[in-house]
């Protein structure tokens, strides 16, 4: 039983660490926050191509 | 169209074609003038434009000014459009394709002509200006709903581009500013070798020009006429239908940014 609880705790910690890493590395928070602002306050997204 | 982007720089014929097809966007400003060239193999057989007869020339898209410049040059040189075999090719591939002999020439925007020249394999046959004074390529396109509901934000964007253009063209500081821009933009935006962008911006210094950037009716009439003649625009379209000139007019009195390398921010 003790071993099972330990395993669950490690599993939970691992999932939490991976989730935190994903949220930090792969989610663009600036874009998400910008999308939640009122329309009049949002920054415009401007696309460009790396050629003239 | 999906509203992920509210504005974009794109080639002018693409913007006009989108508007003609009913997409609610307008051109509000230009990105630059010139900056496109036709490049051939450095020691190859093509010495003048008419030597391209029967050869394969790459263009970035059928909706590009780089394709239209070829048609304009063919007309001036008395050639038939069918005498050159045009192929569409992704711009990053053209310098390698030319060096390998897969194509005989390409018509592209910078920095690809510079890339080919820097490699020692390509030679500029002509810059766009030689056949098309005040040639333009990239334009700033904005969604109509943004123009309608947030004109002040569009004006801030256009004012910033106008001031950046003037900063790049400041006479006594032009060389220094272009060098700074090449270093900064190459490293932090385009992930390109700053040497390549320095070449594109400085050899010669007016290889790409950043003023005047106001959209002019006469310039666009040349584009739409060539688009009609070459089958990429299926109806007449009025200048006012695809251009909103008021933001360019609003930016007319702008002054260049005050900025030198090492400053924390521009003023």
């Amino acid at each position: 039983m003790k071993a099972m609880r330990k395993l669950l705790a490690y599993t939970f910690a691992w999932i939490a660490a991976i989730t935190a890493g994903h949220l930090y590395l792969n989610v663009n928070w600036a874009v998400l926050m910008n999308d939640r602002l009122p329309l009049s306050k949002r920054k415009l997204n401007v696309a460009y191509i790396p050629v003239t | 169209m999906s509203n992920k982007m509210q504005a974009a720089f794109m080639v002018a014929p693409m913007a006009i074609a989108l508007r003609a097809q009913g997409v609610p966007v307008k051109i509000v400003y230009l990105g630059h003038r010139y900056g496109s060239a036709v490049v051939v193999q450095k020691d190859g057989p093509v010495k003048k434009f008419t030597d391209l007869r029967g050869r394969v020339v790459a263009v970035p898209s059928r909706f590009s000014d780089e394709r239209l410049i070829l048609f304009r040059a063919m007309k001036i040189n008395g050639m038939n459009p069918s005498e050159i075999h045009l192929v569409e090719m992704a711009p990053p591939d053209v310098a390698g394709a030319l060096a390998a002999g897969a194509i005989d020439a390409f018509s592209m925007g910078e920095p690809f002509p510079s890339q080919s020249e820097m490699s020692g394999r390509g030679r500029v046959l002509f810059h766009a200006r030689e056949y098309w004074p005040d040639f333009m390529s990239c334009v700033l396109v904005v969604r109509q709903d943004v123009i309608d509901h947030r004109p002040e934000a569009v004006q801030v964007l256009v004012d910033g581009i106008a001031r950046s253009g003037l900063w790049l063209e400041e006479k006594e500081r032009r060389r220094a500013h272009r060098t700074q821009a090449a270093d900064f933009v190459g490293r932090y935006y385009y992930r390109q070798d700053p040497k390549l962008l320095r070449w594109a911006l400085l050899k010669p210094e007016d290889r790409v020009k950043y003023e005047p950037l106001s959209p002019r009716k006469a310039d666009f009439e040349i584009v739409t006429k060539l688009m009609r003649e070459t089958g990429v625009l299926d109806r007449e379209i009025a200048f006012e239908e695809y251009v909103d000139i008021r933001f360019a007019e609003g930016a007319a009195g702008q002054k260049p940014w005050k900025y030198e390398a090492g400053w924390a921010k521009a003023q």
Side-chain angles (χ1 to χ4, degrees):
Chain A
M1 195 63 190
K2 202 173 171 187
M4 179 61 82
R5 284 170 74 170
K6 209 170 175 180
L7 180 66
L8 281 172
Y10 278 128
T11 305
F12 180 78
W14 175 248
I15 291 171
I18 292 294
T19 303
H22 167 67
L23 292 174
Y24 177 71
L25 294 169
N26 299 325
V27 176
N28 191 334
W29 291 100
V31 170
L32 280 184
M33 297 309 286
N34 189 47
D35 287 348
R36 295 179 70 85
L37 289 172
L39 199 62
S40 60
K41 293 209 158 83
R42 275 185 213 169
K43 281 187 180 175
L44 297 180
N45 290 322
V46 182
Y48 62 88
I49 45 174
V51 292
T52 56
Chain B
M1 282 186 264
S2 66
N3 203 17
K4 286 287 178 197
M5 296 291 165
Q6 289 76 46
F9 286 99
M10 64 175 73
V11 280
M14 177 84 76
I16 295 167
L18 284 173
R19 188 70 201 95
Q21 290 165 22
V23 178
V25 292
K26 287 259 174 72
I27 296 167
V28 298
Y29 212 49
L30 306 189
H32 62 91
R33 287 184 187 268
Y34 304 130
S36 294
V38 170
V39 177
V40 297
Q41 286 164 345
K42 191 175 181 186
D43 301 312
V46 181
K47 306 294 182 200
K48 57 186 188 301
F49 186 79
T50 49
D51 292 338
L52 289 172
R53 201 172 258 128
R55 297 187 186 275
V56 178
V57 182
V59 295
S61 156
R62 69 195 61 189
F63 295 104
S64 65
D65 303 88
E66 286 76 16
R67 173 178 170 272
L68 298 182
I69 188 74
L70 286 170
F71 282 99
R72 192 171 161 96
M74 279 191 269
K75 196 188 272 188
I76 290 167
N77 283 283
M79 287 168 65
N80 189 306
S82 63
E83 289 185 272
I84 292 180
H85 182 211
L86 295 181
V87 293
E88 289 174 277
M89 190 173 278
D93 294 340
V94 293
L98 183 71
I103 54 175
D104 299 299
F106 65 77
S107 177
M108 290 282 158
E110 293 292 352
F112 300 103
S114 293
Q115 184 188 32
S116 193
E117 280 189 311
M118 269 179 78
S119 72
R121 309 299 288 269
R123 178 176 66 82
V124 171
L125 182 66
F126 68 87
H127 289 281
R129 70 179 67 225
E130 292 166 42
Y131 280 96
W132 193 331
D134 288 341
F135 174 86
M136 56 184 188
S137 179
C138 271
V139 294
L140 177 64
V141 173
V142 180
R143 287 173 57 89
Q144 188 63 52
D145 59 340
V146 177
I147 290 174
D148 293 341
H149 297 112
R150 301 189 62 195
E152 72 295 336
V154 179
Q155 189 65 62
V156 168
L157 178 62
V158 171
D159 288 350
I161 296 165
R163 296 189 71 185
S164 300
L166 293 169
W167 182 78
L168 285 163
E169 295 291 354
E170 263 191 319
K171 278 205 166 49
E172 62 284 1
R173 298 291 297 153
R174 180 155 80 166
R175 190 165 190 85
H177 288 173
R178 285 175 174 240
T179 304
Q180 291 166 21
D183 289 349
F184 185 83
V185 174
R187 287 198 180 104
Y188 299 111
Y189 281 86
Y190 288 175
R191 310 271 186 258
Q192 284 170 331
D193 184 349
K195 274 189 218 151
L196 174 63
L197 296 185
R198 267 182 248 144
W199 187 295
L201 288 173
L202 293 165
K203 286 181 180 278
E205 278 180 30
D206 61 353
R207 191 169 178 133
V208 189
K209 284 189 71 180
Y210 294 93
E211 69 163 334
L213 297 181
S214 186
R216 297 189 303 219
K217 191 173 182 177
D219 294 334
F220 280 93
E221 280 174 351
I222 296 172
V223 175
T224 52
K225 186 165 180 279
L226 278 166
M227 287 175 74
R228 292 276 286 156
E229 287 170 6
T230 60
V232 290
L233 184 64
D234 56 10
R235 69 173 176 89
E236 292 292 339
I237 182 165
F239 178 71
E240 294 73 20
E241 195 181 336
Y242 59 87
V243 174
D244 193 329
I245 197 70
R246 74 187 126 139
F247 302 103
E249 288 171 349
Q254 289 296 328
K255 299 274 184 268
W257 291 111
K258 289 190 192 321
Y259 178 79
E260 299 299 333
W263 290 18
K265 61 188 284 192
Q267 297 159 8

